[in-house]
């Protein structure tokens, strides 16, 4: 027997209206009154938003015009459903930060995405959560022509929000939400941590307090007007309110600008971000109190409805929250790394060879660390014990490299990427969209690349002989070849073909990027909490060691501490990865170009120089690949963060890459050696080679 399947016809809005309102008052006995509105919205909501340019309600409007009985019942249904529904919390809370704790806000939004909070049934939030529950609902609603919305508004017989200012009326709820936002802003702006960011306002009256008073004056006048519950754009009170609003915005912007001077914490950043969001919300709501011509009543009422739906749908938007919350902090962090990165970018020949010498010093310490790590692997302890020992080996070694002024090549990309973007930002400001900005960036990139190149060379060529010397001395003194049983693993792990060296090198690149983030965040935090000044003026230190020594220690702390913490955590990350991988049953480890060079030397000696040619080839080739992946991952992540922190569009990558390629074709050796100079200037007016 043949079975035929027919495509189910989509239920239209007219079908829903006919089903529920064709028989007089049938809808009143519906189990759930919201069911009708849910079905109506579902019948209009497009399945494919990208393919929908416009949503046409012509058929619905014609149907309502021809069927007055259904229209009247539908009107009664909607008015009954929305009667005295509270809207103040949507306007004052939805899509605005409610807590300055970043992680708590993230967790709360994720949880609300999975299991949305359901409000009291007498609130509009309850209705909207049931009807407009999709994030993209505000987008498709905006695709309905406004003239059709206005016609539907009149057909259904809605009244404007200015009909009454009594308690529980729409206008009363609107003004209540505005007052609540103003009070919250004023209180938050007067907190000590926020006031600290704007010392310029310390001896003046808070613009937020003045704004709150002016808003109350306007609201009192609107409430007392007979049958005219609105103001006009020509009102002096209204104009004064916007002047004060502008002053509040300037206050917040000044606080954000001062972050480079005073530093900023995530908590203060969240407080300022919340005030900024509240100011923007008021900027949207205040014009709803204004009616200049009669048609404004209808337009403002519809505009308020749009905003209510949008705010409720976007209240748990996680992507926007994270983006707004981290942009300023990432800027301050990359500002620090940009300043630190400048010392890693050579210009003259003397700087070039000085970088080579410091890289040799870094390679010397890493060569020693390679030998120590093999010795630590002989210690009989747990995986946690090995993680601790390896981490301390790496950490103290990296700190020694940093304190002694040596260079670890792969630490550079996280710093130099920020310096590169800083130059690009300056070039954009100076030259606009001309090709010259990309030319300057390409020249600067050549400087960065050759600095990286010579640092890699210095690290690798020193780590190899030092590791070889170390294992030979131990064998000479104790007649014990420490790599005799591990040489095969040490060499095989370098091969990009016979091991997961590329993946492990990428993990190391991520850790190198994170170490740069840690350095910038620690420096930013210390600046905000004035740690330098606290140490300098500490009464115990001045009394015990003298004012001059206390100041020297404070200066040393300001200059070195962020780097020490950064290198300490880099060591923890790199030393514990393998043990964490063992714990979870995953093939996790790190590969670093300088350590790879030392491990090749240890493997060579451990095998008594019996490595076959292919094994040696893949080992040497693997060192180059590991270094390249270390650089690409660390540099790429840092460059992306720096671009984002300065709001530079990713579309800049294409012309930048083309400019770098053109410069490479014209002067390829400048990417490896300090050959020649050209007259290109960047910040400070220095010439770039």
């Amino acid at each position: 027997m043949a079975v035929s399947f027919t495509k189910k016809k989509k239920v239209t809005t007219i079908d829903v209206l006919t089903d529920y309102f064709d028989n007089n008052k049938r809808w009143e006995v519906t189990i759930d009154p919201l069911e009708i509105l849910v079905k109506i919205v579902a019948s209009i909501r497009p399945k494919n938003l990208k393919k929908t340019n416009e949503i046409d309600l012509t058929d619905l409007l014609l149907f309502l015009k021809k069927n007055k009985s259904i229209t009247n019942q539908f009107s009664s249904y909607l008015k009954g459903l929305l009667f005295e529904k509270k809207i103040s919390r949507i306007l004052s809370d939805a899509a605005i930060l409610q807590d300055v704790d970043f992680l708590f806000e993230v967790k709360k939004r994720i949880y609300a995405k999975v299991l949305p909070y359901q409000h009291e049934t007498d609130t509009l939030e309850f209705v909207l959560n049931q009807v407009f529950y999709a994030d993209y609902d505000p987008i498709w609603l905006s695709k309905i022509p406004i003239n059709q919305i206005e016609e539907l508004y009149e057909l259904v017989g809605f009244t404007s929000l200015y009909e009454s200012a009594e308690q529980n009326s729409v206008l009363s709820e609107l003004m209540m939400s505005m007052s609540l936002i103003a009070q919250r802003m004023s209180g938050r702006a007067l907190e000590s941590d926020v006031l600290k960011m704007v010392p310029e306002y310390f001896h003046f009256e808070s613009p937020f307090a003045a704004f709150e008073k002016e808003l109350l004056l306007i609201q009192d006048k609107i409430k007392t007007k007979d049958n005219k519950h609105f103001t006009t754009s020509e009102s002096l009170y209204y104009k004064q309110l916007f002047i004060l609003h502008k002053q509040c915005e300037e206050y917040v912007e000044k606080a954000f600008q001062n972050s480079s001077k005073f530093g900023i914490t995530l908590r203060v950043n969240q407080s300022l971000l919340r005030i900024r969001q509240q100011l923007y919300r008021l900027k949207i709501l205040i014009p709803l109190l204004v009616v200049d011509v009669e048609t404004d009543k209808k337009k403002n009422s519809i505009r308020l409805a749009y905003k209510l739906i949008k705010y409720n749908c976007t209240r748990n938007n996680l992507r926007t929250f994270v983006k707004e919350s981290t942009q300023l902090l990432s800027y301050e962090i990359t500002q620090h790394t940009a300043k630190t990165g400048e010392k890693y970018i050579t210009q003259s020949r003397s700087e070039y060879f000085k970088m080579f010498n410091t890289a040799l010093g870094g390679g010397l310490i890493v060569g020693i660390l390679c030998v120590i790590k093999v010795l630590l692997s002989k210690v009989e302890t747990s995986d946690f014990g090995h993680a601790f020992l390896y981490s301390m080996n790496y950490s103290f070694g990296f700190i020694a490299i940093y304190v002694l002024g040596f260079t670890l090549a792969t630490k550079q990309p996280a710093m130099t990427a920020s310096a590169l973007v800083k130059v690009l930002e300056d070039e954009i400001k100076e030259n606009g969209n001309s090709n010259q900005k990309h030319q300057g960036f390409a020249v600067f990139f050549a400087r960065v690349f050759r600095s990286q190149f010579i640092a890699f060379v210095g690290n690798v060529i020193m780590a190899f002989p030092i590791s070889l010397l170390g294992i030979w001395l131990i064998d000479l003194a104790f007649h014990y070849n420490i790599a005799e049983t591990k040489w095969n693993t040490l060499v095989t792990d370098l091969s990009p073909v016979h091991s997961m060296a590329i993946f492990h090198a990428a993990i190391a690149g991520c850790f190198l990027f994170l170490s740069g983030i840690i350095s910038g965040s620690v420096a930013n935090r210390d600046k905000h909490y004035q740690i330098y000044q606290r140490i300098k003026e500490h009464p115990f230190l001045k009394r015990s060691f003298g004012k001059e020594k206390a100041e020297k220690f404070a200066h040393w702390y300001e200059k070195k501490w962020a780097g020490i913490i950064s290198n300490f955590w880099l060591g923890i990350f790199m030393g514990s990865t393998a043990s964490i991988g063992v714990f979870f049953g995953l093939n996790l480890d790190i590969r670093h170009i300088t350590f790879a060079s030392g491990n090749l030397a240890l493997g060579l000696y451990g095998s008594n120089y019996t490595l076959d040619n292919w094994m040696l080839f893949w080992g040497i080739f693997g060192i180059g690949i590991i270094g390249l992946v270390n650089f690409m991952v660390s540099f790429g992540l840092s460059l992306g963060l720096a671009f984002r922190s300065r709001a530079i569009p990713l579309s800049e990558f294409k012309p930048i890459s083309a400019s770098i390629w053109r410069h490479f074709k014209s002067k390829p050796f400048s990417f490896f050696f300090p050959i020649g100079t050209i007259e290109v200037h960047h910040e400070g007016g220095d010439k770039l080679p």
Side-chain angles (χ1 to χ4, degrees), residues 101-113 318 321:
D101 188 323
F102 176 78
L103 292 178
F104 176 80
E105 188 74 21
V106 169
K107 287 189 290 185
K108 186 178 77 173
R109 293 192 179 210
I110 292 174
Y111 191 77
K113 283 275 189 183
L318 190 61
F321 166 70

Side-chain angles (χ1 to χ4, degrees), residues 461-686:
I461 66 172
M462 180 56 80
F464 187 90
I466 292 299
S467 296
L468 201 60
L469 177 63
I471 192 172
W472 175 74
L473 289 174
I474 290 173
D475 194 11
L476 184 67
F478 301 102
H479 304 289
Y480 178 46
N481 184 345
I482 60 174
E484 188 173 10
T485 59
K486 293 194 66 174
W487 68 267
N488 188 59
T489 302
L490 288 169
V491 179
T492 304
D493 284 348
L494 304 180
S495 171
V497 175
H498 303 96
S499 71
M500 296 184 70
I502 294 176
F503 174 63
H504 295 157
I507 294 175
C510 292
F511 291 153
L512 291 160
F513 162 72
L514 285 176
S515 71
I517 297 297
I518 291 171
S519 176
S521 60
V522 169
N524 181 58
R525 182 204 63 190
D526 288 350
K527 186 194 295 183
H528 180 76
Y529 288 119
Q530 299 177 317
I531 302 298
Y532 169 78
Q533 193 68 15
R534 292 187 187 190
I535 296 173
K536 179 183 174 183
E537 301 299 338
H538 197 290
F540 176 78
L541 292 177
K542 289 198 293 186
R543 188 171 61 250
S544 301
F545 303 102
K547 185 176 181 179
E548 187 177 338
K549 287 186 177 180
E551 185 174 353
K552 282 184 178 179
F553 177 66
H555 180 70
W556 178 88
Y557 179 95
E558 183 181 39
K559 188 177 180 182
K560 297 288 188 181
W561 186 247
I564 289 173
I565 294 297
S566 164
N567 282 285
F568 177 80
W569 278 106
L570 176 61
I572 297 293
F573 295 150
M574 297 184 72
S576 59
T577 300
S579 296
I580 291 173
V582 170
F583 180 81
F584 287 106
L586 302 173
N587 188 358
L588 300 180
D589 209 338
I590 57 97
R591 293 290 174 267
H592 184 279
I593 181 173
T594 315
F595 285 91
S597 175
N599 287 343
L600 181 63
L602 296 176
L604 189 64
Y605 189 88
S607 68
N608 291 317
Y609 304 99
T610 60
L611 285 182
D612 62 62
N613 292 337
W614 277 111
M615 222 171 165
L616 187 60
F617 166 78
W618 285 117
I620 295 171
F621 181 72
I623 291 173
I625 294 297
I626 289 168
L628 181 63
V629 174
N630 287 161
F631 172 80
M632 287 175 62
V633 172
S634 177
F635 187 78
L637 291 172
S638 302
L639 198 64
L641 179 68
F643 264 67
R644 181 183 173 279
S645 69
R646 287 165 169 79
I648 298 175
L650 295 179
S651 57
E652 289 286 339
F653 270 117
K654 187 175 180 180
I656 286 170
S657 302
S659 181
I660 292 172
W661 176 243
R662 285 195 300 270
H663 184 63
F664 180 78
K665 287 192 294 183
S666 62
K667 294 190 175 181
F669 288 105
S670 68
F671 281 73
F672 302 97
F673 309 103
I675 299 171
T677 60
I678 63 172
E679 298 290 327
V680 177
H681 297 264
H682 68 103
E683 185 183 18
D686 297 332

Side-chain angles (χ1 to χ4, degrees), residues 316-577:
N316 296 314
N317 191 303
L318 190 61
R319 182 182 298 177
T320 302
F321 166 70
V322 172
K323 180 182 178 182
E324 290 178 344
S325 299
T326 58
Q327 184 157 6
L328 178 68
L329 287 175
S330 62
Y331 178 82
E332 292 305 323
I333 289 169
T334 53
Q335 277 288 89
H336 168 79
T337 53
K339 292 176 183 177
T340 307
E342 289 172 1
K343 71 178 184 179
Y344 292 121
I345 303 172
T346 64
Q347 180 170 339
S348 63
R349 283 182 174 82
S350 60
E351 290 176 350
Y352 182 79
F353 287 108
K354 182 181 178 181
M355 175 68 74
F356 177 68
N357 291 332
T358 59
L360 289 175
L364 186 148
I365 292 178
V366 169
I368 296 171
L369 296 180
C370 288
V371 175
I372 293 174
K373 185 182 178 184
V374 174
L375 289 171
L376 292 175
S377 69
K378 306 293 182 181
V379 176
E380 292 187 8
T381 183
S382 64
D383 290 327
F384 174 81
H386 278 128
F388 175 78
L389 293 173
Y390 294 158
S391 296
M392 292 304 100
N393 179 46
Y394 282 125
S395 292
F396 290 119
F398 292 152
I399 291 172
I401 291 172
Y402 176 71
V403 172
L404 294 173
F406 296 149
T407 299
L408 185 66
T410 49
K411 277 282 286 180
Q412 293 174 277
M415 306 296 181
T416 54
S418 299
L420 268 169
V421 175
K422 189 170 183 291
V423 169
L424 178 62
E425 184 182 40
D426 295 337
E427 293 279 351
I428 291 173
K429 289 177 182 177
E430 184 178 345
N431 302 310
N433 291 320
S434 67
N435 291 328
Q436 189 178 353
K437 71 181 180 186
H438 297 127
Q439 180 189 354
F441 183 88
V443 174
F444 195 76
F445 181 84
R447 280 181 58 192
V448 170
F449 192 88
R450 68 168 171 261
S451 303
Q452 300 289 312
F453 170 74
I454 195 61
F456 275 131
V457 171
N459 278 176
V460 169
I461 66 172
M462 180 56 80
F464 187 90
I466 292 299
S467 296
L468 201 60
L469 177 63
I471 192 172
W472 175 74
L473 289 174
I474 290 173
D475 194 11
L476 184 67
F478 301 102
H479 304 289
Y480 178 46
N481 184 345
I482 60 174
E484 188 173 10
T485 59
K486 293 194 66 174
W487 68 267
N488 188 59
T489 302
L490 288 169
V491 179
T492 304
D493 284 348
L494 304 180
S495 171
V497 175
H498 303 96
S499 71
M500 296 184 70
I502 294 176
F503 174 63
H504 295 157
I507 294 175
C510 292
F511 291 153
L512 291 160
F513 162 72
L514 285 176
S515 71
I517 297 297
I518 291 171
S519 176
S521 60
V522 169
N524 181 58
R525 182 204 63 190
D526 288 350
K527 186 194 295 183
H528 180 76
Y529 288 119
Q530 299 177 317
I531 302 298
Y532 169 78
Q533 193 68 15
R534 292 187 187 190
I535 296 173
K536 179 183 174 183
E537 301 299 338
H538 197 290
F540 176 78
L541 292 177
K542 289 198 293 186
R543 188 171 61 250
S544 301
F545 303 102
K547 185 176 181 179
E548 187 177 338
K549 287 186 177 180
E551 185 174 353
K552 282 184 178 179
F553 177 66
H555 180 70
W556 178 88
Y557 179 95
E558 183 181 39
K559 188 177 180 182
K560 297 288 188 181
W561 186 247
I564 289 173
I565 294 297
S566 164
N567 282 285
F568 177 80
W569 278 106
L570 176 61
I572 297 293
F573 295 150
M574 297 184 72
S576 59
T577 300

Side-chain angles (χ1 to χ4, degrees), residues 184-232:
R184 289 173 178 174
M185 282 195 318
S186 185
R188 183 73 65 179
L190 292 174
E191 288 184 351
S192 298
D193 282 345
V194 176
L195 279 173
K196 177 184 175 182
M197 301 298 295
V198 278
E200 298 89 346
Y201 287 81
F202 193 74
H203 298 292
F204 298 97
E205 182 187 7
S206 169
F208 294 94
F211 176 86
E212 186 182 349
K213 293 175 186 175
E214 198 67 29
L215 180 63
L216 287 173
L217 284 174
I218 284 186
Q219 290 182 350
D220 287 341
K221 287 186 174 296
I222 288 174
K223 288 177 181 178
T224 56
K225 285 185 177 181
D226 296 330
N227 300 321
K228 191 181 177 183
H229 304 297
F230 54 82
T231 187
T232 65

